[in-house]
Amino acid sequence: MSQYATELCTLLVEDNFGELFARIFSTLQRYDRLALPRLKFYSRLSDKKLHHGLAAMIQMHLVFHHTSFDDGVTYYEANMQAAYYLVRSGKILEIIEDNLGVYASRVMSTIMYLGHAQVSYLETLPELVSEQVSTDGINGTLGSHNVNGQSQSMILNGSHAASGSHAKLHQTLTSLAAHGYIVRVREAHFQSSVDTMMSAERIVKAKQDAKQLKGKNLERFLQDGITDLIQERTEGDLSHGLIRNGVPRGIKRRRVNRLGEESNKRPRLDSSVRLPFEKLDSDEDELTDNELVDEDPPMESDLVVRINHEKLDVVLRNRRLAELSEHSTSSITAQVYECLLRRIEYQTQRCREEPEIPREGEEGEIYSTPISLHTLVEDIDPGLDLAGSIGPMLPPEIPGRGGKRPPDNGVNGSGPQSRASEVDQHLVLLAQPPYAFSYRQINSGMITWTVEYRHLARKLRHLELERIIQSRYGNVALRIVRVLLAKGKLDEKRLQEITLLPPKDLRQVLAKMQGGGFVDLQELPREAQRLPSRTIYLWFYDPDRVRRNVLQDTYKTMSRCVQRIKFERSRLKDFLDKTERSDIKGNEERCLSEAELVLLRQWRDKEALLLGEVARLDDLVAVLRDF
């Protein structure tokens, strides 16, 4: 990463974990890869502090460690990606709460705080014991807990309450695993990708089959063997066996009677997971322990889990595409598209296989898993007015035998075929240029819909870059950039003819954009003397270079925002320490004076403003780097 990216990651580590972590992390960033003696020398830390800090940072996946096969020395390296993901902690918890409920968000927050955790340890944490179990009541709840989380005094079925608390935790972990939000921790997760690849390469080369091959056959054998071994060592997916009919375990399905009408009786559910269109009553915000159904076996007690950031990037990408579709079409069409993206999300592990975004023109097409039309009809809210946001459906033009029009069979009526046609019309609308949100395919005579993510990711990047150019240099600059992107390299005369701009205005805008690094000039001399009068000057716009420059500027801006928060907090350190006291926190209105309340309100507004700006800039980073 660049200078500003490393600076931002160090600030995030210091803000979340303190000065000790920040010193170790910044030292590893500066010297890239160090053994323990050199790390101790450069960081100027004692053995006790250094060992404690390294152990905790490895627990949080902030530091990679690898023991060399040649000399047996353990080397440490900073994990930049894990440090940056600290910015998205709030967004991740918001996603979990929206999709799986408040309790699942609490479980995910605990795992995030611990870095990775064993299931048996999570069972002992009092904050993960459900409220029904932790409060005395008729069903007999736990009066007290010992260190192992067992009850010492029980009343009326207390053992069942304890098992119910663990059942709810296990079912929540199962739902998180089914969605891919958590994965099994593997040994390779504590090593950098380079160390993992080198270790796999050494093992594959030592095989007997590799010694018998030469030339291209050897290269192909090594490449396939290394890829398979890396995937085997890093694969931590826990969703195998938890996806049923393309849907993760726990998703609610509406009950339909024999007449095809939705039943009014509320079905018994096995999880607090709900589809977006389904709303629970206020007194049924989350299921109680008595409503849990043990359909799946509990998670293994010795299983160690961690957050799967790659899967959460897929969720963030789908949310961004759904927002863009709503701006381009309508809210009803956007909800249909969101159902398509959600179905695809269940079967998509990561945004892309390559570590870096391919260059413009070298990306290729990557289509998602096709989803059948009838599957989408089942997922869409039955009360959603699909026909009200699209034009009237025309009757079929092709007559039947004898010159008579064939029967509708519910296509234009109120049957399920009519519902499928309405959904198909919305998806056809989404497939129109310029965005092409979806693509229609026919597989074995069945209508399916898919999404071409590489095209949409490129479109998102172009929209963000165009928005920045327009805000900085105006509409004229936006027109010039679009022409250069479509036509390639152009000289000033040809560019003037296409954009229909006066030469003076064109040169001024080009000079400003060149100074900002958004356009550049290429010289093509006609003669070896390279005289200016005999040289052709071509203007061009390189979206890849502009994307990298904007990304670095974004890192710098985020770093400055975090620094500003730190500075403002230092100015009010004594006052903020007072407000964080246990006897004052939550009782500010009663314990603080009017002037102190005004100061506290001003500080919270300023902090929320800066943190909101950091979150908005992170959305830009996700578009330019992750999608």
Side-chain angles (χ1 to χ4, degrees):
M1 286 190 176
S2 65
Q3 169 191 352
Y4 298 115
T6 56
E7 179 183 350
L8 172 63
C9 291
T10 303
L11 290 171
L12 291 174
V13 171
E14 182 179 4
D15 185 65
N16 285 273
F17 302 106
E19 184 180 354
L20 176 61
F21 280 32
R23 181 181 296 188
I24 297 175
F25 193 83
S26 60
T27 304
L28 291 174
Q29 279 183 333
R30 187 179 302 114
Y31 298 100
D32 190 34
R33 185 182 179 94
L34 293 173
L36 188 61
R38 303 305 298 173
L39 179 58
K40 176 184 176 182
F41 173 77
Y42 288 124
S43 62
R44 298 292 191 269
L45 292 173
S46 62
D47 289 339
K48 182 179 180 180
K49 290 183 177 180
L50 183 59
H51 291 166
H52 171 74
L54 280 176
M57 294 180 75
I58 292 173
Q59 169 78 21
M60 299 301 300
H61 297 273
L62 294 173
V63 170
F64 291 127
H65 68 93
H66 175 71
T67 302
S68 175
F69 180 79
D70 299 327
D71 53 13
V73 177
T74 301
Y75 295 91
Y76 300 91
E77 183 179 351
N79 186 354
M80 301 287 292
Q81 198 68 14
Y84 179 82
Y85 274 122
L86 295 172
V87 174
R88 297 183 185 170
S89 301
K91 294 179 183 178
I92 291 173
L93 297 180
E94 181 185 0
I95 290 172
I96 302 302
E97 183 174 349
D98 291 344
N99 294 346
L100 303 179
V102 178
Y103 181 75
S105 177
R106 192 188 312 162
V107 174
M108 182 65 89
S109 175
T110 304
I111 298 174
M112 187 183 302
Y113 176 76
L114 297 173
H116 62 261
Q118 198 170 19
V119 174
S120 59
Y121 178 73
L122 294 176
E123 294 175 351
T124 64
L125 298 179
E127 60 266 23
L128 299 185
V129 177
S130 61
E131 295 179 0
Q132 182 179 355
V133 177
S134 60
T135 309
D136 291 339
I138 297 178
N139 292 330
T141 54
L142 301 182
S144 61
H145 299 273
N146 62 11
V147 178
N148 296 323
Q150 302 292 334
S151 173
Q152 293 187 4
S153 60
M154 295 185 180
I155 56 172
L156 296 176
N157 303 327
S159 59
H160 297 287
S163 62
S165 68
H166 290 171
K168 185 170 184 178
L169 173 63
H170 281 270
Q171 290 202 344
T172 302
L173 290 173
T174 303
S175 297
L176 291 171
H179 283 77
Y181 298 152
I182 58 175
V183 292
R184 181 195 303 269
V185 176
R186 305 297 298 271
E187 184 179 355
H189 292 161
F190 297 96
Q191 301 175 359
S192 65
S193 57
V194 177
D195 291 330
T196 304
M197 185 183 66
M198 293 180 63
S199 177
E201 182 179 1
R202 185 182 65 254
I203 294 175
V204 173
K205 285 183 177 180
K207 291 184 177 180
Q208 188 66 27
D209 296 340
K211 299 178 181 179
Q212 301 175 358
L213 299 175
K214 295 181 180 180
K216 294 184 178 180
N217 293 332
L218 177 60
E219 294 180 3
R220 191 181 304 110
F221 175 82
L222 291 178
Q223 184 177 0
D224 295 341
I226 292 172
T227 303
D228 295 341
L229 187 56
I230 290 177
Q231 183 176 2
E232 179 184 350
R233 289 188 167 191
T234 58
E235 180 63 35
D237 186 22
L238 296 171
S239 63
H240 300 298
L242 300 178
I243 302 293
R244 302 170 182 173
N245 299 323
V247 178
R249 172 203 174 280
I251 287 290
K252 295 181 180 179
R253 310 293 300 184
R254 62 180 185 276
R255 178 171 294 180
V256 181
N257 57 25
R258 288 180 295 178
L259 299 178
E261 299 175 351
E262 186 177 2
S263 175
N264 294 326
K265 185 178 179 180
R266 185 181 183 86
R268 178 65 63 87
L269 306 175
D270 65 342
S271 173
S272 61
V273 185
R274 59 182 181 274
L275 292 174
F277 65 81
E278 293 183 308
K279 302 296 183 182
L280 299 180
D281 298 333
S282 59
D283 58 343
E284 296 178 342
D285 192 18
E286 288 198 15
L287 300 179
T288 60
D289 296 323
N290 293 333
E291 291 176 314
L292 296 176
V293 181
D294 295 329
E295 293 186 357
D296 294 307
M299 303 282 284
E300 300 175 6
S301 297
D302 58 347
L303 180 66
V304 182
V305 296
R306 58 170 292 187
I307 295 178
N308 186 9
H309 289 287
E310 292 182 340
K311 183 71 172 187
L312 292 165
D313 285 343
V314 176
V315 181
L316 292 174
R317 180 180 64 180
N318 289 346
R319 283 194 169 193
R320 190 63 179 267
L321 292 177
E323 293 174 0
L324 181 61
S325 66
E326 184 173 1
H327 290 309
S328 305
T329 54
S330 65
S331 60
I332 303 297
T333 306
Q335 292 184 48
V336 175
Y337 189 53
E338 189 177 356
C339 289
L340 173 63
L341 293 176
R342 191 185 314 113
R343 273 283 181 169
I344 296 173
E345 172 194 318
Y346 298 149
Q347 305 178 48
T348 306
Q349 297 298 325
R350 55 187 61 85
C351 289
R352 63 177 185 273
E353 298 296 334
E354 304 86 3
E356 297 292 337
I357 296 178
R359 288 186 56 84
E360 293 272 345
E362 302 177 1
E363 298 165 302
E365 295 182 350
I366 300 179
Y367 290 92
S368 66
T369 303
I371 306 298
S372 66
L373 179 61
H374 294 287
T375 301
L376 294 175
V377 175
E378 295 176 359
D379 290 348
I380 294 176
D381 182 3
L384 194 63
D385 184 15
L386 297 177
S389 58
I390 55 178
M393 300 175 62
L394 298 177
E397 298 289 341
I398 303 175
R401 292 185 179 181
K404 296 182 180 180
R405 177 178 296 165
D408 289 343
N409 294 328
V411 173
N412 295 314
S414 58
Q417 190 67 26
S418 173
R419 189 72 172 174
S421 300
E422 293 172 352
V423 173
D424 191 67
Q425 273 198 314
H426 282 276
L427 292 172
V428 169
L429 180 62
L430 289 165
Q432 301 303 314
Y435 295 109
F437 289 108
S438 59
Y439 287 88
R440 188 180 188 181
Q441 298 176 349
I442 305 295
N443 294 332
S444 302
M446 181 183 299
I447 299 176
T448 60
W449 287 90
T450 183
V451 174
E452 207 283 279
Y453 277 120
R454 293 276 59 81
H455 160 75
L456 292 176
R458 182 172 63 252
K459 196 68 180 179
L460 284 175
R461 294 195 298 268
H462 288 176
L463 289 175
E464 288 293 342
L465 295 178
E466 289 177 0
R467 180 185 59 82
I468 294 174
I469 291 173
Q470 185 179 18
S471 62
R472 291 187 184 183
Y473 305 107
N475 295 328
V476 174
L478 180 59
R479 187 195 309 178
I480 294 173
V481 165
R482 287 177 175 175
V483 170
L484 292 175
L485 183 61
K487 302 296 183 181
K489 299 179 180 180
L490 298 173
D491 61 357
E492 184 177 324
K493 182 178 180 180
R494 183 57 180 162
L495 185 59
Q496 177 187 347
E497 294 175 356
I498 298 177
T499 57
L500 303 177
L501 294 173
K504 182 178 180 181
D505 296 345
L506 178 62
R507 291 170 184 170
Q508 289 179 352
V509 175
L510 286 173
K512 292 180 181 178
M513 294 175 64
Q514 185 184 20
F518 288 92
V519 296
D520 210 341
L521 200 60
Q522 181 179 2
E523 300 179 3
L524 294 179
R526 297 180 181 178
E527 298 177 352
Q529 289 77 12
R530 306 180 68 90
L531 297 176
S533 59
R534 304 293 298 172
T535 302
I536 300 175
Y537 298 93
L538 299 178
W539 292 97
F540 67 95
Y541 169 74
D542 186 356
D544 291 311
R545 189 171 71 91
V546 173
R547 177 185 64 85
R548 290 191 295 268
N549 293 339
V550 172
L551 187 60
Q552 301 310 316
D553 293 342
T554 307
Y555 287 144
K556 181 178 179 181
T557 307
M558 296 175 69
S559 175
R560 297 298 178 265
C561 289
V562 176
Q563 286 179 341
R564 187 67 186 182
I565 295 175
K566 180 180 177 182
F567 172 74
E568 294 292 340
R569 189 182 290 120
S570 64
R571 292 177 55 187
L572 303 174
K573 183 178 184 302
D574 296 336
F575 172 70
L576 294 178
D577 290 343
K578 177 182 177 181
T579 59
E580 291 295 326
R581 282 165 39 187
S582 59
D583 58 333
I584 294 180
K585 193 172 184 179
N587 302 313
E588 291 86 353
E589 297 290 339
R590 183 170 54 87
C591 299
L592 298 180
S593 63
E594 188 65 29
E596 290 176 332
L597 289 175
V598 172
L599 182 60
L600 180 61
R601 194 178 303 113
Q602 291 176 352
W603 157 248
R604 288 178 176 175
D605 292 342
K606 185 181 298 184
E607 185 183 33
L609 179 64
L610 292 172
L611 291 177
E613 183 67 15
V614 171
R616 187 186 66 82
L617 292 171
D618 174 60
D619 293 338
L620 179 59
V621 172
V623 171
L624 298 179
R625 189 194 66 179
D626 298 332
F627 296 167

